[in-house]
Amino acid sequence: MTAAGGLALIALGAALRFYVTWQLTWVDVDVLGSGFMIAGAAALAFGTVMACSAQRRTARRVRSHVFEQRYDDGPPRS
């Protein structure tokens, strides 16, 4: 799950936890919302860690040493 999915879970959990007022007999909507927010925070952290490690992996490149030799003969002749 990506970071965007984590943010969507957090938003859905917050809506269930704080804005929904009806109750079901077989499930507590507040607990369900809190669970979605916790899962969303975990998914957001996982997505961030994966994005940072992928960026670090692509940033490492083998640098080759370049040897440049220039000869200076002085100012140009006219």
Side-chain angles (χ1 to χ4, degrees), residues 2-77:
T2 62
L7 288 175
L9 280 176
I10 291 173
L12 178 65
L16 285 175
R17 175 79 168 97
F18 300 112
Y19 298 123
V20 174
T21 57
W22 45 268
Q23 294 292 326
L24 298 172
T25 58
W26 49 276
V27 67
D28 190 4
V29 179
D30 291 341
V31 173
L32 186 65
S34 297
F36 277 149
M37 287 192 289
I38 291 170
L44 184 62
F46 179 73
T48 304
V49 167
M50 291 305 291
C52 289
S53 68
Q55 184 180 21
R56 212 176 318 135
R57 247 190 331 257
T58 58
R60 292 182 194 162
R61 295 185 184 207
V62 177
R63 295 182 181 174
S64 60
H65 296 285
V66 176
F67 179 74
E68 184 175 331
Q69 189 173 7
R70 295 184 181 191
Y71 298 101
D72 187 14
D73 292 337
R77 298 179 189 167

